[in-house]
Amino acid sequence: MLLGDKNAIVYGASGAIGGAVAQAFAKEGARVFLAGRTRAALETVAEKIRTSGGVADVATVDVLDEGAVEVHADAVVRDAGSIDVSFNAISLPQTGIQGTRLIDLPAEDFDLPISTYPKANFLTARAAGRRMSGQGSGVILTITASPSRTAVPLMGGMAPAWAAVESLSRGLAAELGPQGVRVVCLNAAGMPDTSQLTEVYGLHANAYGISRDAFEARMAERTLRKKLPTVAEIADVAVFVASDRAAAMTGAIANLSGGMIAD
């Protein structure tokens, strides 16, 4: 198994991406610590993992609460002995954030993702990095989306927030690399098999006066393979990057855009 004997924290584990990655980690042998704000939703993911023979623990953690993040990280180390993988998949509802021109957007709506995503990733990555540095190994994963590196209208503060997370990931990689800690950001095009992308594509479709399906087709056409990535495909890459088989990979923005961005 690619992640046998690894201990992995997944923040935002009740969401589509966090839940899929947590289940993929567990399938490959990791003990998974599911963190998020709603315990009942986390327990649903944990039960799927346990039913499939995996090991999952659940904790309610506000990733914007510095003390709560540190206390939880200490509890994981105390219980499991180490933190080997940390993945932050938190997200915000996008209504009121996307679908409006920047010049028409209220300042507080522009600021919300910028004050949430970089801070949440900083706090969780810092907690993991502190403990991974002491043990001399570990992998920190972040996730962003293709508008961080392209010119896309109606994104509000999301594109700047994602760009900040990517910059943070590179800085962490530079500082933690000598201690044996890798940091990789997964940059994905929109995955239409998530409820959030259903919301997002609907917001953009309404702004353009077209159907949601027509907007999704427009996005798929922008990829080289004419097909948007799926959550399962993202989870598979997350497993590989978190494993020792990707040992030479750090400070990288892994391109999972299906060719929407051509490196």
Side-chain angles (χ1 to χ4, degrees):
M1 289 187 174
L2 289 178
L3 301 178
D5 300 321
K6 303 284 189 184
N7 301 308
I9 301 177
V10 178
Y11 300 95
S14 63
I17 297 172
V21 170
Q23 291 176 71
F25 282 174
K27 184 178 179 181
E28 288 295 335
R31 178 179 177 182
V32 184
F33 292 82
L34 310 178
R37 292 183 300 174
T38 308
R39 188 174 189 91
L42 295 170
E43 288 288 1
T44 298
V45 178
E47 185 57 30
K48 292 178 181 178
I49 290 172
R50 294 166 187 150
T51 299
S52 299
V55 180
D57 299 78
V58 170
T60 53
V61 181
D62 179 354
V63 293
L64 296 176
D65 183 331
E66 179 178 3
V69 171
E70 291 289 333
V71 167
H72 177 252
D74 279 338
V76 172
V77 172
R78 214 167 33 244
D79 186 13
S82 66
I83 299 173
D84 303 298
V85 182
S86 175
F87 176 54
N88 191 323
I90 65 104
S91 64
L92 289 169
Q94 294 298 296
T95 299
I97 294 177
Q98 295 192 48
T100 301
R101 297 190 306 168
L102 288 167
I103 61 173
D104 297 324
L105 194 66
E108 60 270 20
D109 292 340
F110 175 77
D111 182 64
L112 181 58
I114 295 174
S115 62
T116 300
Y117 287 80
K119 181 179 179 180
N121 278 276
F122 167 71
L123 291 177
T124 58
R126 187 183 66 175
R130 285 172 169 173
R131 290 151 183 85
M132 291 174 177
S133 294
Q135 67 197 31
S137 65
V139 182
I140 297 171
L141 300 179
T142 60
I143 187 165
T144 58
S146 52
S148 68
R149 303 169 63 194
T150 56
V152 180
L154 309 181
M155 293 302 302
M158 287 306 304
W162 285 324
V165 170
E166 292 179 6
S167 181
L168 171 66
S169 300
R170 287 189 289 263
L172 286 165
E175 294 180 0
L176 297 176
Q179 286 78 53
V181 181
R182 298 190 292 111
V183 186
V184 177
C185 179
L186 311 177
N187 181 294
M191 292 147 278
D193 54 337
T194 68
S195 59
Q196 186 176 58
L197 262 294
T198 298
E199 176 193 15
V200 167
Y201 284 179
L203 292 170
H204 285 262
N206 288 340
Y208 286 114
I210 61 177
S211 71
R212 184 207 166 280
D213 287 346
F215 184 80
E216 181 180 329
R218 180 182 294 184
M219 291 298 99
E221 185 62 28
R222 291 181 58 195
T223 70
L224 296 183
R225 62 179 190 167
K226 310 306 177 187
K227 177 184 177 184
L228 291 163
T230 65
V231 173
E233 289 171 338
I234 304 305
D236 286 342
V237 175
V239 167
F240 170 74
V241 173
S243 77
D244 293 340
R245 291 189 183 178
M249 189 177 188
T250 192
I253 310 300
N255 186 344
L256 308 181
S257 69
M260 189 175 290
I261 302 170
D263 289 329

